[in-house]
Amino acid sequence: WRMLRLAAALAYITLADPSADIGHVAQSYRALSVARGYGPDKSEDGYTVSSKFKAQLAAYFADARNLTVLEVGSYMGYVTRVLSDCFQTVLTLDTSQHFLDQNRVHNQDRGNVVYLRFHTAFDDWGLFASNDIQVVVLDAEHDYANVKRDVENILRLLTTVTTVVFDDYGAELGVRRAVDEFIAAGHLQVVAELGEQPGWVYGGRTIDASEGLVTTIVKRLEDPESTFVNVRYAWYGQSFTAFVDTLWFRPDQQVESGGAIEGGGWAFADGVGWIGSWGGKKFLLTFNKYHTSFVAQDWETGAESVGVRLDFVKSMFVKMGGAFH
């Protein structure tokens, strides 16, 4: 706990006294990070957060010993270790089994960490809905669409969460755009800035916003009635490996195809459910809870085909491509 008090002191110095010897304070942050096993600075490993971020995160949650945190995106476990110092229980997620294994090795002396393989786009966030989680640290995908979807799931499904921490708010424009939209809409409110501050340099760029944010949830999201509306899907016919065309369920109840087949329309029929037509055929549509995919049953033959949200398919291929580099 002396180290956490040091983190709090360092955080106070840089926030309360902008004229402080920043070089000396930065060295102290790095010394703290090394001493606690918090890993390298962001300048040394661009996939982690800065030593300053880690120290300020530890200081902000120094009184969270009775709380549970969900860490979404764990990398090597450096921030996991910070959180394990502060929280009673840490649920840490990653899509990569390799990173989860590295995390477990790095934090093998910690008994309050649970490691879970989880894909934010394809797995069910409802898995955590029955758990008493107070804080989410979100450091998963950084593009706008994925950040927006992740925050929507937090606001809609994790009803006990009161605080969301964002990494790479300053450096990643997709993160900033999504977070700013939720702030502007009154869903989130900024209560603290973490890490490097405007004017810091990363990736050869001068960043004009803080590295990270702590936000509190002000207003939650309700489940939309028809979240497939205005969404594009990849349709795979009768085999998931046999891509046929893209389908766009337009707000005017038209189904617009990508051009390989004829478009059609969609509607809701009482006593039946959602019905769609395209390619000269009629289908009974069954969507999953979050409208990320659907099964289309041929009205005449009963043959089933599947559709998956196009942005999810793209995300999957991006991940697959990255695995070969």
Side-chain angles (χ1 to χ4, degrees):
W1 291 102
R2 281 185 296 178
M3 284 293 181
L4 291 185
R5 286 197 292 272
L6 173 59
L10 290 171
Y12 178 80
I13 290 171
T14 52
L15 292 175
D17 184 7
S19 65
D21 184 346
I22 299 302
H24 175 72
V25 172
Q27 289 180 356
S28 299
Y29 277 130
R30 294 193 184 193
L32 170 71
S33 196
V34 170
R36 294 300 298 167
Y38 293 167
D41 185 72
K42 193 174 186 68
S43 62
E44 301 160 320
D45 182 346
Y47 291 104
T48 188
V49 299
S50 68
S51 298
K52 182 177 180 180
F53 185 110
K54 294 166 188 169
Q56 292 181 336
L57 182 68
Y60 190 88
F61 291 108
D63 297 321
R65 291 304 298 176
N66 295 322
L67 304 182
T68 297
V69 60
L70 179 68
E71 181 189 21
V72 186
S74 69
Y75 186 42
M76 301 292 285
Y78 304 137
V79 174
T80 307
R81 194 169 186 85
V82 178
L83 299 173
S84 73
D85 273 343
C86 303
F87 290 84
Q88 183 177 58
T89 305
V90 181
L91 305 176
T92 186
L93 316 179
D94 206 282
T95 61
S96 167
Q97 188 61 50
H98 169 74
F99 284 143
L100 287 175
D101 291 342
Q102 293 296 312
N103 189 335
R104 187 169 59 248
V105 170
H106 184 68
N107 293 299
Q108 58 186 327
D109 60 330
R110 303 302 170 95
N112 63 336
V113 181
V114 178
Y115 307 90
L116 298 169
R117 190 172 183 181
F118 185 86
H119 194 298
T120 59
F122 300 114
D123 292 323
D124 185 1
W125 283 78
L127 172 71
F128 307 105
S130 298
N131 292 276
D132 193 17
I133 300 168
Q134 291 78 34
V135 179
V136 173
V137 177
L138 187 59
D139 187 15
E141 302 290 345
H142 290 144
D143 62 285
Y144 167 76
N146 279 295
V147 176
K148 182 174 184 290
R149 182 203 60 238
D150 291 346
V151 177
E152 286 175 347
N153 281 321
I154 293 168
L155 294 177
R156 185 174 293 124
L157 299 173
L158 306 188
T159 57
T160 61
V161 171
T162 59
T163 303
V164 184
V165 179
F166 295 94
D167 172 37
D168 280 324
Y169 171 79
E172 298 289 345
L173 297 181
V175 177
R176 196 190 309 185
R177 177 187 169 193
V179 174
D180 284 351
E181 286 183 2
F182 284 106
I183 293 172
H187 292 288
L188 299 174
Q189 180 178 342
V190 178
V191 293
E193 297 180 340
L194 297 179
E196 303 295 346
Q197 293 303 300
W200 62 292
V201 177
Y202 174 70
R205 297 179 293 136
T206 299
I207 310 301
D208 62 355
S210 61
E211 181 183 356
L213 296 178
V214 180
T215 66
T216 187
I217 295 177
V218 179
K219 182 173 63 174
R220 300 192 180 276
L221 288 173
E222 300 296 330
D223 278 322
E225 294 182 1
S226 300
T227 53
F228 65 87
V229 178
N230 212 24
V231 174
R232 296 178 187 270
Y233 293 82
W235 184 47
Y236 287 90
Q238 294 185 31
S239 170
F240 188 74
T241 60
F243 172 76
V244 179
D245 204 350
T246 60
L247 301 173
W248 174 24
F249 290 81
R250 294 180 359 187
D252 60 3
Q253 293 192 288
Q254 296 298 303
V255 176
E256 182 176 317
S257 71
I261 60 174
E262 180 185 357
W266 63 269
F268 184 82
D270 290 336
V272 178
W274 294 108
I275 296 174
S277 63
W278 56 81
K281 295 183 178 182
K282 183 178 179 180
F283 302 92
L284 175 63
L285 306 179
T286 304
F287 290 87
N288 68 357
K289 181 178 180 180
Y290 308 108
H291 299 86
T292 57
S293 63
F294 65 83
V295 173
Q297 185 178 48
D298 190 293
W299 196 265
E300 295 183 356
T301 68
E304 294 184 343
S305 54
V306 297
V308 180
R309 269 183 55 164
L310 192 58
D311 57 333
F312 285 15
V313 175
K314 290 180 178 178
S315 175
M316 179 178 66
F317 279 107
V318 168
K319 284 187 172 293
M320 289 174 63
F324 295 101
H325 292 291

